[in-house]
Amino acid sequence: MRSRLFAGLLCLALFPVSLLAQPNASEDPILSTMSQEMNRSLGYLKKQPLAPYFLSYELTDNHAINVSSSFGAITGRSDRRTRLLDIDLRVGRYDMDNSHAVRGDFAMTTFGQLAGRLPLDDDPKALAAALWLETDRHYKEAVQRLAAVKTKNQIKKETEDDSPDFSSAPAEHHFEPIAQFSFDRASWEQRLRRYGVLFRDLPDVQSADIWASGELETRRYINNDGSEIRMSLPLYRLNLSASIKAPDGEVLPLYRQFMSFTPEGLPDDAQVLKVVGEMKSMLLALRQAPAADAYTGPAILSGRASAVFFHEIFGHRVEADRLKNDDDAQTFKKKINQPILPPFLSVYSDPTLHHLQNSDLVGYYPYDDEGVEARRVTVIDHGIFRSFLMSRSPINGFPSSNGHGRRQQGYDVAARQSNLIVESTKSVSRDKLKSLLIERVKAAHKPYGLLFDDITGGYTFTSRDLPNSFAVLPTVVYRIYPDGREELVRGLDLIGTPLIAFSKISAADNDVGIFNGICGGESGWVPVSAIAPGLLIDQIEVQRKPKSQAQDPILPAPGAAQKKEN
Amino acid sequence: MTTPSTRSRLLSVTLLLLWVALPAAAQKQDAVSRAMHDELSRSVARLSLPKLDKPYFIAYRVDDVHSAVISSTLGALTNSNESRTRLLAIEMRVGDYALDNTNFLAMQSLRWNRSGTNSSLPLDDDYDQLRRAIWLATDRAYKQAAETLAAKRSVLEHRQGGPALPDFSHQPPFKLEQPSANIKVDVPSLEQLARTVSAVFREFPNIYVSTVDISIRDAFTRYLNSEGTWFTRPSPLVMLNVAAQVRGPDGLPLQDSFQVFGENAEALQQANLVARTRKFAADLEAQRTAPKLDSYSGPVLFQGEAAAEVLAQVLAPALTASRFPITDQPQFEAQFQQVMSRFGGGSLADRIGGRVLPAGFDLADEPRTATLGTVPLLGGSQVDDDGVSTLEVKLVDHGILKGLLATRVPTEHSKLSTGSRRQLGPSPSNLILSVRGGLSEAQLKTELLAQAKQRGLDSALIIRRVGPAGLSWITKLMQSRMSGSAPLAAEVYRVFPDGHEERVRPPEVQPMTAADFKDVDAAGDTPFVYNGAYIPLATSIFGVLGGGGLGDTNPSLVSYVTPSLLFDDVSLKADAGPAPDEPVAPSPLAQSSAQGNP
């Protein structure tokens, strides 16, 4: 989805929940039980020789309803409620506690550890019993871990970053009503059947998977500093993916993803049918498109493609927790107050932004998973690098959180992206950007430039023991010839290294693209958005996509065989 | 003279003829059956790659499963998940009955025959999409099978002798159509039951962990193979598991559980669960403060349920015929077998014709026996997972081992199937131990004390329930892996010469082996029915990896029937593991009626 906007006139809207009538936290028996049990357990734990100095409970209720289909036949449906508990219990001191990283000590991290499972019913006794056991378990683990940290620190070389392990944060009180949630699964099943069946007549179609889901997530957070927070937000999703096989065997996928905080925010019937029609046309065109070769030269990234590009190659490198890890490449560690982008570009991370024009931004949240109020962070100001995204784990020069401590339930919190916004103060029209590209093509004596119009995602390596490179995986790429002609091609991945790629950005358009997605990282999967204008990059590099080794099925598809036999 | 190519043509013709003989019912049935039939027909006729072996046997199995899993603790739900799945498993055999792609395990490339791998099918009865999914899964299965057979042939070329046994036995076609059980999966009512039963533990604050899990499965299987076998079969199963933990005064965790099984939810409603759970919880609390027994070696009477648990864990796994697959590492084969035998994991295959039980004992597997008196036996079926008609198998006659339970994978001692494939390998169904001239429970107790006296012991042991504790090497390992510590036998009593009994907190029962059954001294006269899972020998797990056959995701339940059994020499030794620390804060349940804070 692209919304045509002038980047300088981005309409920023704060989520209006804070303006709604505020119910009272004391009306929530679950929060009361959490608070009572925290106080009761802490009463005993404080008498131990090694007492906790910090304790938080985050209780996440999730109700998720899904329906999935293949070629219009329902393949799965589920309706599931979970309640998960994450406990952060710290012994020691802010400057060194049980969370302290030890070099080379991978096993000590809680990598994807399962969160404690709690009663789904709002039963205070059962909940208190579960909180009691989980708190005790975390306390014993924390004591053991701190002893290990102290021992290992004596025998291991200190890390480059000697900042404390945890920062203080003000107590917060925020209480939202439980959000309304309604997902009509039966109706979505009918819709998915209707949409999926339309793909059956595509020649050489490989897959046509469509799924829809609705989920309501309600988070309750308390800590022993007095914070008490309840947030409740639904998320509705519709995903369409289909693929077709080219004559040379390459399988060409296309994806369309829609996310919204309201059921009405998803496309209606007519809009989905239009999308299905566009996908079918594009798949047929891709099947006929020539396979492109490796290339270096100028290229345009459309707004959506630029958004993913920035999320991957920039966003992950400003998540501060990685800077504590000496094995990380720490691309921007020494770049504070230095130019790393052209002066017409600024980059913000703004989790308080609920929607942009007609699109909800799924990286929105009012408080992060450490009870810190979300805030807008200027990461790059007119090309100058200003700040990292911070959780409550400080790094040198950045002693406190800026509300970006996030996690999937069951994982340890880390600094993560929210809504990443790239703004340009010097934008041109899309047509002008194309003519600038053609100028660059001619100047460089290249036969053509490239336009990356749609992109499925990407990945990046940030550790030192691997080349510090990225790959962005486009699905729709055009060659732009000096005469202005556009030719669809297939089979390319955009690759490169971040600092060089940034230095080659030379212009931006006013065609802002929005990408909503679910991003995986050390602290699990979290919803994020990225917003960016189209960008002209003077030199990019592309390589051929890896080719599948799978042979075609031996027998023709059953339907095809039938038609032939008839 | 018949050339290889003529042979394969003849084979194809034979398969096609067999196919024509398939029941007409399958052809006019629902979309799933039609899709299975049509795709199998096409694959048998046309699926092949040049220069590679063709399929000589294809089987499809489709399981429609409507299930729910519900968990609760202290009267509150912790999980409730209802689901519907439709899974396809394909058994693809290329080559011929003598040599095919199965019974092979390539250790170096970790390649084995995975034809039993399940794939999902659409839940909608959409013929076209069902066909499409079956077509793609069949194609994958064939390519993999052909590749595996090529690798197997290559390994065989470098081995002395080659395989002496055929890979698959012949079997006449079998047809059976049973309707779906269509049991009611009433989730709200089961949720309420779980809440009610688990709330009992609120009365027992010393029990610091307690769970009630209910699972209900309404499974319906359609099976079709290229030999002309077609069956449909329901497998309804309801299971309730109640589990709890306390700590002894020394901090050692004591855990116990009990299960109730049935073929519908009514079985749970009728099981008087609240009263039973209350007694279970009270017993566990009593166990907590019972006197501790440090070690014991001597006669032990396994009464009722405990006798069936010994039969299930120790003897039953040794009664199945398994075959270790050919591997590309002959040394591994030999070493693995040795290690497993050392841990008492060997089968009784080499004892056929010899004594394995005392003379008055008979043992049979009776898949077609539905009840014992009025007690239902839940392990039975008219057809096994290979599509073979089941029959009663007399395993032990007057103490002499007559044979083993076998699938269509021939072994040195079992050339033909006994209709015993359940899930991935051979398994008993309703395993019934009967004894001529059994003693009353009182006589058994007298006999136990007499034996103890002979050994110079001042008391003997009666075990009435083993519970989550393991008795064999493999079950011990599994239980300690699942629970994090080695659970102890649940109900153990010390019996003194005057006949009075004293409940004790026992040490761990040392692993028993099938050979111990030869020396059973006496047995009771009243059979006890116990339902439980079948846990195969470690040695047969590799046989399963290599042996082909269709994966079955339905849990397989076996009914074990036996009278009480008196063993003359069982050892119990303390497991000197450190006891974990008590929780720092007391349980909020224990405090709820007292003061809130320290």
Side-chain angles (χ1 to χ4, degrees):
Chain A
M1 292 279 291
R2 266 205 308 269
S3 50
R4 287 182 178 270
L5 282 178
F6 282 97
L9 296 176
L10 282 179
C11 174
L12 309 186
L14 287 172
F15 187 44
V17 153
S18 55
L19 303 176
L20 296 175
Q22 290 274 334
N24 194 322
S26 63
E27 290 167 13
D28 184 337
I30 298 297
L31 269 177
S32 303
T33 304
M34 288 165 70
S35 180
Q36 280 164 20
E37 186 50 37
M38 176 179 278
N39 290 333
R40 195 190 73 89
S41 277
L42 270 180
Y44 288 95
L45 295 173
K46 289 278 188 196
K47 293 181 176 174
Q48 295 295 302
L50 197 54
Y53 78 93
F54 180 82
L55 175 60
S56 73
Y57 294 157
E58 187 177 44
L59 196 66
T60 307
D61 289 357
N62 185 285
H63 181 192
I65 307 174
N66 290 282
V67 53
S68 57
S69 68
S70 172
F71 288 102
I74 300 301
T75 51
R77 51 172 80 92
S78 69
D79 184 336
R80 196 175 169 82
R81 289 171 194 270
T82 56
R83 173 172 281 172
L84 296 168
L85 170 68
D86 287 287
I87 292 183
D88 187 3
L89 187 152
R90 291 168 182 264
V91 293
R93 298 188 313 268
Y94 281 95
D95 59 349
M96 189 168 80
D97 66 23
N98 49 296
S99 74
H100 191 83
V102 177
R103 290 195 75 175
D105 189 0
F106 183 77
M108 294 300 272
T109 61
T110 49
F111 193 71
Q113 169 189 302
L114 272 182
R117 284 182 53 195
L118 296 211
L120 299 171
D121 294 335
D122 291 349
D123 181 314
K125 276 193 172 184
L127 177 59
L131 288 166
W132 160 62
L133 279 177
E134 280 299 302
T135 306
D136 192 72
R137 185 172 70 81
H138 276 78
Y139 172 69
K140 286 168 182 162
E141 283 177 9
V143 168
Q144 279 184 13
R145 171 86 171 102
L146 183 63
V149 163
K150 287 179 172 168
T151 311
K152 297 248 174 167
N153 266 9
Q154 288 171 2
I155 53 174
K156 294 263 184 183
K157 195 178 156 192
E158 271 299 306
T159 53
E160 291 170 18
D161 190 305
D162 59 357
S163 49
D165 286 330
F166 199 52
S167 61
S168 60
E172 301 284 359
H173 292 87
H174 174 84
F175 197 77
E176 295 176 5
I178 303 293
Q180 287 197 335
F181 174 60
S182 130
F183 182 82
D184 185 347
R185 193 177 71 191
S187 153
W188 272 108
E189 283 187 16
Q190 289 306 326
R191 290 181 66 179
L192 263 48
R193 286 190 181 101
R194 223 168 41 246
Y195 306 146
V197 81
L198 298 172
F199 287 94
R200 293 191 189 184
D201 63 359
L202 272 183
D204 294 322
V205 63
Q206 300 296 298
S207 64
D209 300 321
I210 308 179
W211 60 263
S213 70
E215 71 179 292
L216 173 64
E217 191 165 277
T218 300
R219 286 195 286 145
R220 293 175 175 88
Y221 175 92
I222 63 166
N223 67 26
N224 66 328
D225 292 336
S227 289
E228 211 167 36
I229 295 167
R230 189 175 84 180
M231 295 172 289
S232 185
L233 190 64
L235 182 63
Y236 300 88
R237 299 167 70 182
L238 171 66
N239 270 53
L240 298 94
S241 79
S243 61
I244 200 163
K245 189 173 267 191
D248 63 0
E250 185 184 351
V251 175
L252 305 159
L254 270 188
Y255 307 92
R256 290 289 183 274
Q257 179 167 255
F258 304 90
M259 294 188 186
S260 173
F261 297 130
T262 60
E264 304 77 41
L266 292 184
D268 64 20
D269 216 33
Q271 288 167 317
V272 180
L273 288 170
K274 185 165 174 274
V275 167
V276 168
E278 288 167 358
M279 286 178 79
K280 287 177 70 178
S281 304
M282 181 53 77
L283 285 169
L284 284 171
L286 280 169
R287 183 163 158 268
Q288 303 297 334
D293 293 320
Y295 166 87
T296 58
I300 288 174
L301 301 184
S302 72
R304 252 176 70 82
S306 295
V308 175
F309 177 78
F310 262 87
H311 170 87
E312 287 301 335
I313 72 166
F314 178 73
H316 285 301
R317 288 179 168 81
V318 297
E319 295 164 339
D321 287 36
R322 291 209 186 86
L323 274 71
K324 285 201 156 177
N325 180 357
D326 287 346
D327 296 328
D328 191 87
Q330 304 179 344
T331 316
F332 300 122
K333 188 171 186 178
K334 310 280 187 195
K335 301 282 183 190
I336 291 292
N337 296 327
Q338 291 184 26
I340 58 171
L341 278 180
F344 62 88
L345 287 178
S346 295
V347 181
Y348 307 95
S349 177
D350 191 353
T352 67
L353 198 59
H354 177 262
H355 60 273
L356 183 65
Q357 289 293 78
N358 294 323
S359 181
D360 286 339
L361 300 181
V362 299
Y364 159 81
Y365 53 87
Y367 286 83
D368 73 3
D369 289 301
E370 292 182 309
V372 177
E373 189 172 14
R375 71 199 67 163
R376 177 178 166 99
V377 175
T378 301
V379 185
I380 294 181
D381 184 16
H382 293 88
I384 309 293
F385 183 62
R386 296 295 188 199
S387 180
F388 289 98
L389 306 181
M390 299 297 302
S391 69
R392 288 182 71 171
S393 176
I395 55 169
N396 285 343
F398 293 86
S400 53
S401 170
N402 53 28
H404 283 78
R406 304 185 71 193
R407 67 157 148 238
Q408 179 185 353
Q409 283 61 54
Y411 287 74
D412 281 348
V413 166
R416 299 288 294 274
Q417 297 173 69
S418 56
N419 297 316
L420 191 75
I421 302 151
V422 181
E423 279 185 7
S424 170
T425 53
K426 195 181 77 178
S427 300
V428 298
S429 69
R430 177 78 183 264
D431 289 342
K432 177 66 180 166
L433 200 68
K434 184 176 168 184
S435 57
L436 288 173
L437 172 76
I438 290 170
E439 281 177 24
R440 306 283 196 283
V441 167
K442 287 176 179 167
H445 303 291
K446 295 283 180 184
Y448 54 82
L450 291 175
L451 164 63
F452 295 88
D453 196 42
D454 203 1
I455 223 157
T456 167
Y459 54 88
T460 189
F461 300 107
T462 64
S463 67
R464 290 184 196 183
D465 49 3
L466 290 168
N468 210 236
S469 59
F470 66 83
V472 174
L473 313 173
T475 48
V476 179
V477 184
Y478 295 90
R479 282 181 186 147
I480 308 281
Y481 289 95
D483 62 3
R485 190 165 44 92
E486 296 186 3
E487 180 189 28
L488 184 68
V489 294
R490 61 179 168 88
L492 291 177
D493 283 341
L494 173 56
I495 56 166
T497 50
L499 292 175
I500 289 181
F502 285 146
S503 70
K504 302 287 182 187
I505 298 174
S506 64
D509 70 12
N510 52 18
D511 193 5
V512 171
I514 298 173
F515 185 90
N516 276 321
I518 309 290
C519 168
E522 294 90 333
S523 64
W525 294 89
V526 294
V528 294
S529 298
I531 300 117
L535 295 173
L536 173 60
I537 305 179
D538 288 346
Q539 188 169 32
I540 53 96
E541 182 170 353
V542 292
Q543 68 181 16
R544 295 292 311 271
K545 278 187 190 295
K547 197 173 176 188
S548 162
Q549 300 298 314
Q551 276 186 341
D552 283 347
I554 299 161
L555 299 178
Q562 220 167 24
K563 279 175 210 159
K564 205 173 173 184
E565 280 156 16
N566 288 344
Chain B
M1 190 177 153
T2 315
T3 65
S5 60
T6 327
R7 253 206 316 271
S8 55
R9 269 204 298 276
L10 279 174
L11 185 64
S12 301
V13 171
T14 315
L15 289 175
L16 278 172
L17 286 175
L18 274 174
W19 178 250
V20 172
L22 268 178
Q27 296 168 29
K28 64 181 181 201
Q29 275 175 347
D30 55 87
V32 180
S33 307
R34 281 194 295 120
M36 290 167 76
H37 162 268
D38 291 349
E39 199 52 35
L40 183 63
S41 174
R42 189 169 77 126
S43 297
V44 166
R46 293 166 53 190
L47 187 64
S48 67
L49 279 170
K51 296 182 186 168
L52 284 177
D53 293 87
K54 293 181 172 155
Y56 76 96
F57 176 92
I58 304 175
Y60 292 146
R61 173 185 169 128
V62 176
D63 286 308
D64 277 330
V65 182
H66 181 193
S67 64
V69 179
I70 291 153
S71 303
S72 180
T73 183
L74 298 168
L77 278 192
T78 51
N79 181 37
S80 177
N81 191 18
E82 184 180 1
S83 70
R84 284 178 188 273
T85 56
R86 177 174 279 166
L87 294 175
L88 165 73
I90 298 179
E91 181 168 8
M92 174 67 70
R93 291 174 179 268
V94 301
D96 56 32
Y97 287 86
L99 177 66
D100 70 19
N101 50 301
T102 67
N103 299 313
F104 175 63
L105 184 62
M107 305 296 293
Q108 284 170 348
S109 57
L110 282 180
R111 174 196 297 284
W112 64 84
N113 175 65
R114 284 176 295 179
S115 62
T117 308
N118 289 301
S119 52
S120 288
L121 291 185
L123 299 173
D124 284 350
D125 290 340
D126 181 326
Y127 171 84
D128 288 343
Q129 288 315 301
L130 289 161
R131 273 288 301 270
R132 182 183 171 85
I134 298 172
W135 160 60
L136 290 172
T138 308
D139 188 80
R140 283 195 299 273
Y142 170 63
K143 286 169 181 166
Q144 190 182 22
E147 215 175 316
T148 304
L149 179 55
K152 181 178 174 182
R153 285 191 200 281
S154 157
V155 167
L156 287 174
E157 275 173 22
H158 299 98
R159 279 168 80 110
Q160 298 290 322
L165 288 165
D167 279 325
F168 202 43
S169 66
H170 290 267
Q171 197 65 44
F174 178 72
K175 295 168 191 76
L176 175 73
E177 290 201 356
Q178 294 177 305
S180 162
N182 225 357
I183 60 171
K184 196 172 174 189
V185 180
D186 181 352
V187 173
S189 123
L190 291 171
E191 286 178 347
Q192 199 44 48
L193 180 67
R195 284 191 187 100
T196 306
V197 176
S198 68
V200 168
F201 289 100
R202 288 187 186 226
E203 302 161 23
F204 299 89
N206 285 319
I207 294 179
Y208 67 98
V209 174
S210 60
T211 54
V212 172
D213 298 297
I214 297 176
S215 76
I216 182 164
R217 286 172 70 87
D218 184 19
F220 181 65
T221 301
R222 297 173 180 86
Y223 176 97
L224 178 67
N225 75 24
S226 54
E227 293 172 331
T229 289
W230 161 256
F231 74 82
T232 61
R233 185 184 67 190
S235 323
L237 180 64
V238 179
M239 186 182 91
L240 173 134
N241 183 62
V242 177
Q245 277 188 36
V246 290
R247 285 174 199 272
D250 52 1
L252 199 66
L254 299 170
Q255 49 198 292
D256 198 2
S257 63
F258 74 87
Q259 292 80 35
V260 177
F261 297 94
E263 291 190 329
N264 52 48
E266 285 71 44
L268 300 185
Q269 305 289 359
Q270 292 159 6
N272 204 9
L273 288 169
V274 169
R276 189 168 170 187
T277 303
R278 190 167 283 125
K279 181 178 180 308
F280 165 82
D283 280 354
L284 189 58
E285 282 215 334
Q287 166 91 328
R288 191 174 155 262
T289 49
K292 200 172 164 188
L293 181 71
D294 287 332
S295 67
Y296 176 86
S297 182
V300 172
L301 174 59
F302 287 85
Q303 268 187 337
E305 181 172 336
E309 289 173 290
V310 184
L311 174 67
Q313 291 190 33
V314 183
L315 186 59
L319 295 167
T320 55
S322 70
R323 167 170 165 183
F324 199 86
I326 293 165
T327 77
D328 50 2
Q329 305 247 311
Q331 276 182 325
F332 168 79
E333 286 173 46
Q335 285 168 357
F336 183 80
Q337 300 280 26
Q338 281 169 9
V339 170
M340 288 298 120
S341 319
R342 199 167 298 159
F343 282 109
S347 92
L348 290 170
D350 54 357
R351 304 296 310 278
I352 291 175
R355 179 168 302 287
V356 294
L357 280 168
F361 286 49
D362 292 341
L363 183 64
D365 190 49
E366 300 186 18
R368 292 189 176 234
T369 302
T371 56
L372 185 83
T374 56
V375 183
L377 301 182
L378 300 178
S381 168
Q382 293 184 49
V383 60
D384 82 347
D385 288 345
D386 273 335
V388 177
S389 175
T390 58
L391 70 168
E392 180 182 341
V393 184
K394 191 91 176 168
L395 292 161
V396 178
D397 188 18
H398 289 80
I400 305 297
L401 183 65
K402 294 295 179 187
L404 299 174
L405 298 173
T407 68
R408 292 185 66 177
V409 179
T411 68
E412 196 183 335
H413 303 281
S414 308
K415 303 287 187 284
L416 292 173
S417 171
T418 55
S420 302
R421 181 188 285 279
R422 309 182 74 219
Q423 298 191 299
L424 292 172
S427 156
S429 55
N430 298 318
L431 189 65
I432 299 173
L433 180 72
S434 48
V435 180
R436 277 173 287 274
L439 306 178
S440 69
E441 293 301 321
Q443 289 170 321
L444 274 177
K445 195 166 161 181
T446 307
E447 179 63 26
L448 170 72
L449 287 167
Q451 287 199 13
K453 193 175 175 187
Q454 270 185 356
R455 290 276 296 259
L457 299 169
D458 63 350
S459 61
L461 289 188
I462 296 177
I463 299 183
R464 297 215 163 92
R465 208 161 54 80
V466 175
L471 291 170
S472 68
W473 173 76
I474 189 158
T475 53
K476 276 180 173 300
L477 187 74
M478 287 174 63
Q479 296 291 8
S480 59
R481 286 291 298 164
M482 280 190 278
S483 62
S485 63
L488 308 173
E491 275 187 54
V492 181
Y493 297 82
R494 204 165 163 191
V495 53
F496 293 89
D498 64 357
H500 92 272
E501 295 177 10
E502 185 180 292
R503 185 160 187 169
V504 291
R505 200 143 55 87
E508 211 183 336
V509 181
Q510 294 302 292
M512 298 170 73
T513 68
D516 294 333
F517 272 80
K518 199 169 65 167
D519 302 322
V520 169
D521 279 331
D525 56 4
T526 312
F528 184 92
V529 178
Y530 164 80
N531 296 307
Y534 170 71
I535 299 162
L537 293 174
T539 39
S540 54
I541 290 168
F542 275 86
V544 163
L545 284 179
L550 293 178
D552 180 357
T553 54
N554 299 319
S556 144
L557 196 64
V558 179
S559 287
Y560 299 93
V561 182
T562 176
S564 299
L565 298 171
L566 172 57
F567 287 83
D568 72 341
D569 193 13
V570 176
S571 289
L572 292 87
K573 281 187 196 159
D575 180 23
D581 288 344
E582 292 271 0
V584 174
S587 162
L589 297 180
Q591 274 204 319
S592 56
S593 56
Q595 294 300 311
N597 273 333

